[in-house]
Amino acid sequence: MGIIFLLIGASTVVAVIFLTAFVWAMRSGQYDDDRSPAVRILGDQRPDQSKTTNIPKTS
Amino acid sequence: MFVSQRSVALPHIRGVEQRTAEKYTCYHCGDACLEDALRFDHKDFCCPGCKAVYGLLQESGLCDYYALTERPGVKEEQDATTVRAELFDLPEVRDKLVEYSEDGITRVTLHVPQMHCSSCIWLLENLQRIEPAIVRSRVRFTSKDLSITFREEHFSLRQLVELLRRIGYAPLLSGGAHSEGKRGAGVPRMLYIKLGVAGFAFGNIMLFSFPDYLGADTSDPQLMKGFQFLNFMFSLPVIFFSSTGFFTSAWTGLRNRMVNIDVPIALGIIALFARSVWDVTTGHGPGYFDSLGGLIFFLLLGRWYQAYTYQAMSFDRSLNDFLPLVVLRKRGSKEEPVSVGDLQQGDHIIVRDQELVPVDGLLHMGTGNIDNSFITGEPLPVRRNVGDTIRAGGRQRGAAIELEVLRPFEQSHLKRLWEEHSGSSTAQRPAMPKMIDQVAQRFTVAVILISVAAGSYWAGRDMDMVWPVVTAVLIVACPCALALSMPFAYGHTMRLLGKAGLFLRDSAVVERMAHIDAVVFDKTGTLTAREAYELHFEGSPLRPDEMRRVHALARNSMHPLSAVLAGRLRPRKNADPASAPSTHWVDVQDLMIPTAIEVHETPGRGIEGMVEGLGVRIGSAAFTDGTEALREAGEAHVHIAIGGMHRGYYVMRKRARTGMADMVEGMRRFATPWLLTGDATVDPEVQRAFHSEEVRTGCTPPDKAGHVRHLQEQGHRVLMVGDGLNDAGALQQSDVGISVSETSAALTPASDAILDARHLQRLPSAVQLTRRARRIVIASLAISLTYNIAGVSFAVAGELTPLIAAILMPLSSVTVVGFVTLAVTIAAGRLGLHNRT
Amino acid sequence: MMERFQYDNKIVNAFLMATIVFGIVGMLVGLIAALQMIIPWMNAAEWFTFGRIRPLHTNAVIFAFVGNGIFAGVYYSLQRLLKARMFSDGLSWLHFWGWQLIIVAAAITLPLGITSGKEYAELEWPIDIAITLVWVVFGINMFGTILKRRERHLYVAIWFYIATWVTVAMLHIVNSMAMPVGLFKSYSMYAGVQDALVQWWYGHNAVAFFLTTPYLGLMYYFLPKAANRPVYSYKLSIIHFWALIFIYIWAGPHHLLYSSLPEWTQSLGIVFSIMLIAPSWGGMLNGLLTLRGAWDRVREDPVLKFMVVAVTAYGMVTLEGPLLSTKLLNSISHFTDWTIAHVHVGGLGWNGFLTFGIIYWMLPRLFGTKLYSVKLANAHFWIGTLGIVFYAIPLYFAGFTQSLMWKQFTPDGYLVYKNFLDTLLQIKYAYWLRALGGTLYLGGALIMVYNVWMTVRAGKLVSNEDAEAPAMETETGVATGGSHWHRWIERRPIQMLVASFVLVVIGGAIEMVPTFLIESNVPTISSVKPYTPLELQGRDIYIREGCYVCHSQMIRPFRSETVRYGEYSKAGEFIYDHPFQWGSKRTGPDLAREGGKRSDAWHYYHMYDPTSTSDGSLMPPYTHMYDNDLDIASTPAKIRAMMKLGVPYSEGFDERSIEDARAQAQGIVDRMREASNGEINANTDKEIIALIAYLQRLGTDISGGSVAEGEVE
């Protein structure tokens, strides 16, 4: 079943790539603030956005 | 439950507080409104401030603020930490905050403790919609920092601060860009990386060990060899990167001639790796790489949890966090701001309402109405007249006063107090043997003995078995579970206590708290509340409409007592007049609150004004031409005159905190209580809770510390519960120092824990929990030891297959962790420490 | 300082429209396929038989509908998350047209029977290469945008996009390795078991990284946007991502339970599939909890409705999947319509509904207007939901019943339903209901088309949406912690890019590996011989017609199967199968041991009109094989290709292959003539003869030579 090594090889390569990505993300402080980014994406809504939605907002 | 554990600094307490929706709740801040809530845009607001913010956000199209979280607003309130905005014009301040400033573009980082929810983040990151001169604003929620880039030529730093304050996020001068202390707290990134790498390797090693578990080894030897090689590869980062921490710690331990828990762990790790490599290279078997990966992964998990629960609250605030670091110096007619340090003897300074007196001074002009609660916990302001000395640390309440500086800041009373008491506290605590280390030592010795014994036994029979057996023993004996039980037990205890309103400095405090057998209380501000008063009226009772008038006028006053009065005088609908208490009037025409006109407040004397055509005066006896009545300790009188006629006075007396007596009673179960107070007399309510011999009156701060030391000399382990700067010495001397606190402004030097004043009565249960936690740890140690023994018996018999190891080791860790967490949770539940309110 | 720029909405709109168009097409083809299973005459002409239509359907919905949906969502969210226009408009449009071209190519080649015969990877090698190129274009465009972004933090959605790109690239390359025989024909580089393993490792991960990760990314962006609240726990979403990434890649083998794959590979697949429940549900809960406190909005807002159902469906499927990968359930569900139901809950529920939700949310914003009708959108929602229900439930039931019927024995040990056809006719009703469900779902989609059309007419496309954001600060001060950390962040995307290319290179290097792998791994069943030229040609017809869509060639080691079909399949039997033809669904009986079961004549009649030999058969007639001449000229080339792949034909056999084929064909024709007393007078040059030759060879090799244990690896 040498083919297994092909697959494992390929998979591992990918896995290692993501591990590196993980380390970079960690070191670069990407995850230092695990709250704001989620809110930030809501920021770019324009005030006049209301005119593009006709679903009544209940807030 | 992913909300950061860090920075539980008390604004957060406000955050966690249950917002009980009374008759009206403020749409902005969610506080209960008085009956006379302000209506605006079909919404209720508790105060003009909140209403204003709403208006501002509404016109900037930022009302999503209210959509993200219910009632997210922060009520603007004056406390010791709010800083005069004009100060931000000063170079000293500006330099402290500005990170860079090039061609008109400036970036500052401000510490904004008020931010507590998604709405806050959203609003603070969309400031540019309110003020176009703001280029970008970025929140760092975990450290509660706000870094803003703005066009300074259009918009000064000061204006920025004012804007922030207007929307309820007044920045602190402290903890800007440059206060390293607050940052770097919590889990270090490196730990996360190590954990990630270990987890990754562990997972893959498991993967490649599977064929082996499933006994596929017959099918294809070359495949198995391949897998073993891969496992070896994956184990390298684990051993040489992820587990380095344990080696270094073990090594430093040994260099200091002491065996800490990491020594046997390091032994085990090395044994695991060496044995596995040996097995693979000599073809003896697949090796124990899976166990190795698992072991390190779980151990790091423990380390992570330890760091995660470590609450780096800004416990030791620097004095500057409380002082106005810049004051107004009066030179002739003009006032100029200077930094406190530069004040010279003889300078004249202006101290405004709500500001701290930074240096000892002589009252030169105006009337001092000084609130010393900051120093003593004593809330009632004392009157100071021209010529009196005012000591640093008091806060002026009322109109501005002018002081002549007696001695520079460096030599001032406040500074000295601070010098004596504050400072890194846990360091010089009386040493207490850490249970874990004791265990570790005995454990290590045992392990080594066993392995030697087993080795020599086999040496006699079968030389080839020696190496396998010895390594096997070291492997299974590796006290993974042992190392995990303590951080998880204490860490979890600490988190639960935090939820219950007692915030510990770190999990070591848990163990120390479990040992205490004497408890020393400070009275004022600790057992008695700061601003809660008992109120009753002396004199000819007021008619409802009169009370309404008083209320209407009192609302206009800055003076704390008037504020109390206004707050307590409440309209009450359709109850019969006879039963109405002296503080409630039966309302005739619904909720109409009349407005007072021609209001004039004379600092230190009182406030007067016209309400519904009648002149009303509230203040001192003289001010209302009444007669000064005899005052008991801790009592205040507020005289009332209506229509020029003195009607009597409200007697205000500090009330002991709710459940105080029961709390003291509860503490008796495991500690003898003492009461130390600076006052000459003790209000009967408090007195009742103690036996007479347990009370010491008229204690100076040194006395308090001395008493604690004395108790310790008698072999007691002392818990000190205090508040205010004058307890700092005692707090630090004690084995465990808890400071009771109501606001974020509270000064809590040298304390191991902050107790949210509203939860004082929980103290006994809290101490009880720490004791349970300790017992739980001991139990868990027993469990993990049984596992080790089981494992060792396999090992000695030379039958520890990789599979057994791979099952046994994680299993033990998981059971132990599960057990302690569960047990502690249950214990806390039994003690009723689960809910927050 | 404050930089003004424009979001490219034009490209988003283009992808969006493509999504809608191909969505309708794909669903329509699906509906046709569904009807073909119950109305044989609907297999109109040779180009539209079920065997060719079903691959068209799967390709259309997966790569055209979902694919374009992904790109629309990514191009919209990526620009806004990074506060930057796409890296290059040129690349954007190259990407767009390239992808549409590929789709058109697929739509043409598949009905023509040009297929590699590997499920979900049917497209032939020239198109595969095109896909690779377009994918690289997409990659450059995405990473380029990440490089010139103005927002430092990479939102979790972007991580999902990156994961998608990297992984799909690798999967596609590894799985598409093939040996070309001319422009329209190639043989898989791998054979039999190995091919199966690669194929399902790919198949599973195609689901994982084409239908799941990108959509999770989209969920993490569009759900919070639509609900106007931040995701329930951002930290959880981060954990969700890394956990998923580290586990998903390994979960492939569970598709081959009870196959001739080594025991432990299968078990491994199971374990990892089970482990997957955790991260998947983490994602689902995170999605649903985001809406806590907004359920009143859900009631009014069709967008949220669609998303809620989508996320719920995701949860159900990710729970069911692992369960189906356990041996117990798998022994029941595999090869039945249960699997079909399972994937359609995922496809219709998760992918379909999320796409619809996103369309309804994005469209008004692209055209700066209101949605034409919320009512119609709600109608779409309800009809669509009804459609899913009508689709899935009958098929679950059908799959279950049929499976039990296959396994049912009489007390004295005979199969109750000896005739496979009986078990099929039993569940015909379910196929009708399924078709109904499909019709409803399509109907809903058509309502959307109208709604979209009216909305588009009402508004005007904001081709370039103005936006402004400050440039990403290079000097960061302490507030962001760590020393020089920003350089890392500046560099990371480049690193990712480099890493990805390294990966592709490695993929290319791996190209060589299989060839020698095969030599080193030929299992030993002495009696297994390569196909004769005619059989090989027949096999290619078998592949061309997509017989594997309804007929498996894998007898599992169950009594019920060995009794019905004969000796269970051994790994060693497939070593010359490029590609493997195990199949994944039994609408017809297994053919692994078809050889010699019936007379050539029977096959001759049966292929011409299945009902003539099996009453009520649902199999399409293949009359065109009786008209078309076999392309015998291609034989030598095919033999040579096979030899390159390590199939041991004797040296120079390729020259002799044509005579050899002719001879064998003649033999078959003669035999049939005798058997039918001259009634059948077939023409040796016709395709049908080759097919019969292949069918009669199937599984016969070992019937003589006995198989000892251990010969199977």
Side-chain angles (χ1 to χ4, degrees), chain A residues 27 32-33 35 40 43 45, chain B residues 118 125 129 141 189 193:
Chain A
R27 296 189 52 159
D32 281 5
D33 188 343
R35 183 104 186 246
R40 197 166 295 151
Q45 238 136 343
Chain B
S118 302
E125 293 212 334
R129 291 211 206 147
F141 188 77
R189 289 175 189 164
I193 298 177

Side-chain angles (χ1 to χ4, degrees), chain C residues 672-689:
Chain C
M672 285 198 294
R673 194 183 297 104
E674 288 153 27
S676 63
N677 314 327
E679 189 183 312
I680 303 178
N681 200 341
N683 179 336
T684 50
D685 312 340
K686 299 302 176 193
E687 294 177 335
I688 183 67
I689 307 301

Side-chain angles (χ1 to χ4, degrees), chain C residues 32-93:
Chain C
I32 293 171
L35 291 171
Q36 286 177 326
M37 294 185 72
I38 24 184
I39 314 171
W41 60 258
M42 283 197 67
N43 297 277
E46 84 177 81
W47 308 281
F48 307 118
T49 49
F50 182 78
R52 301 186 186 188
I53 284 295
R54 203 213 71 167
L56 184 62
H57 164 62
T58 48
N59 279 277
V61 290
I62 295 176
F63 300 109
F65 173 57
V66 172
N68 279 310
I70 294 170
F71 299 139
V74 170
Y75 273 75
Y76 183 91
S77 56
L78 196 65
Q79 295 187 77
R80 282 148 180 89
L81 285 172
L82 299 177
K83 296 255 177 296
R85 190 185 179 87
M86 287 309 291
F87 173 63
S88 146
D89 288 13
L91 288 180
S92 300
W93 288 105

Side-chain angles (χ1 to χ4, degrees), chain C residues 238-546:
Chain C
I238 294 166
I239 295 170
H240 174 200
F241 172 76
W242 292 109
L244 201 68
I245 288 311
F246 285 151
I247 298 179
Y248 229 149
I249 194 90
W250 299 117
H254 70 229
H255 285 260
L256 299 167
L257 287 182
Y258 295 110
S259 70
S260 311
L261 218 58
E263 176 76 13
W264 63 268
T265 358
Q266 302 181 22
S267 318
L268 199 63
I270 301 176
V271 173
F272 274 87
S273 314
I274 301 287
M275 281 166 66
L276 259 176
I277 295 180
S280 309
W281 275 58
M284 175 193 69
L285 295 174
N286 212 355
L288 290 180
L289 286 173
T290 303
L291 296 169
R292 81 203 182 293
W295 289 103
D296 49 339
R297 300 259 319 276
V298 177
R299 232 177 292 110
E300 293 141 0
D301 184 345
V303 173
L304 289 179
K305 276 206 208 78
F306 274 112
M307 290 180 173
V308 167
V309 171
V311 174
T312 319
Y314 172 69
M316 282 160 53
V317 175
T318 48
L319 178 63
E320 187 190 9
L323 293 182
L324 287 183
S325 76
T326 59
K327 291 200 158 187
L328 172 63
L329 283 184
N330 190 273
S331 67
I332 301 171
S333 73
H334 198 50
F335 289 135
T336 72
D337 289 290
W338 187 331
T339 318
I340 315 298
H342 169 67
V343 297
H344 278 83
V345 171
L348 302 175
W350 166 237
N351 298 110
F353 267 34
L354 196 62
T355 315
F356 296 147
I358 292 173
I359 291 174
Y360 282 122
W361 186 85
M362 243 177 359
L363 197 73
R365 286 165 175 78
L366 290 181
F367 285 82
T369 173
K370 286 177 162 52
L371 183 63
Y372 168 68
S373 157
V374 177
K375 260 202 186 52
L376 285 180
N378 278 313
H380 175 193
F381 170 77
W382 289 113
I383 296 174
T385 314
L386 210 60
I388 298 178
V389 173
F390 268 101
Y391 190 108
I393 297 190
L395 282 195
Y396 278 121
F397 198 71
F400 193 69
T401 353
Q402 196 181 22
S403 179
L404 293 188
M405 293 172 82
W406 290 345
K407 296 173 181 295
Q408 199 174 354
F409 283 93
T410 60
D412 38 3
Y414 294 108
L415 285 168
V416 176
Y417 303 93
K418 283 196 200 55
N419 183 354
F420 184 95
L421 187 54
D422 300 346
T423 68
L424 181 63
L425 297 178
Q426 277 284 346
I427 58 169
K428 201 172 167 186
Y429 75 93
Y431 288 173
W432 279 108
L433 287 173
R434 178 256 298 272
L436 170 63
T439 317
L440 287 171
Y441 195 85
L442 177 59
L446 289 171
I447 295 178
M448 177 184 74
V449 172
Y450 174 72
N451 208 346
V452 167
W453 173 244
M454 297 306 283
T455 312
V456 169
R457 273 185 43 190
K460 180 178 177 322
L461 175 63
V462 189
S463 304
N464 296 298
E465 184 181 327
D466 293 313
E468 63 171 20
M472 187 154 68
E473 282 146 346
T474 50
E475 189 280 324
T476 62
V478 194
T480 40
S483 62
H484 310 309
W485 69 280
H486 54 282
R487 294 220 192 84
W488 279 104
I489 198 71
E490 304 323 343
R491 232 155 68 198
R492 196 185 30 40
I494 312 172
Q495 306 274 28
M496 288 290 290
L497 195 56
V498 171
S500 318
F501 280 127
V502 168
L503 169 79
V504 178
V505 172
I506 291 171
I510 287 170
E511 207 173 322
M512 317 311 161
V513 182
T515 32
F516 71 76
L517 278 181
I518 288 159
E519 278 106 42
S520 69
N521 290 281
V522 179
T524 57
I525 299 181
S526 47
S527 55
V528 175
K529 297 272 177 293
Y531 294 104
T532 67
L534 188 64
E535 289 159 3
L536 189 61
Q537 288 287 9
R539 189 168 199 273
D540 288 340
I541 294 169
Y542 184 96
I543 293 169
R544 181 189 75 195
E545 297 302 334

Side-chain angles (χ1 to χ4, degrees), chain A residues 47, chain B residues 54-63 129-131:
Chain B
Y54 174 79
L56 179 65
L57 299 190
Q58 196 193 30
E59 69 198 42
S60 320
L62 285 171
C63 277
R129 291 211 206 147
I130 303 177
E131 173 49 60

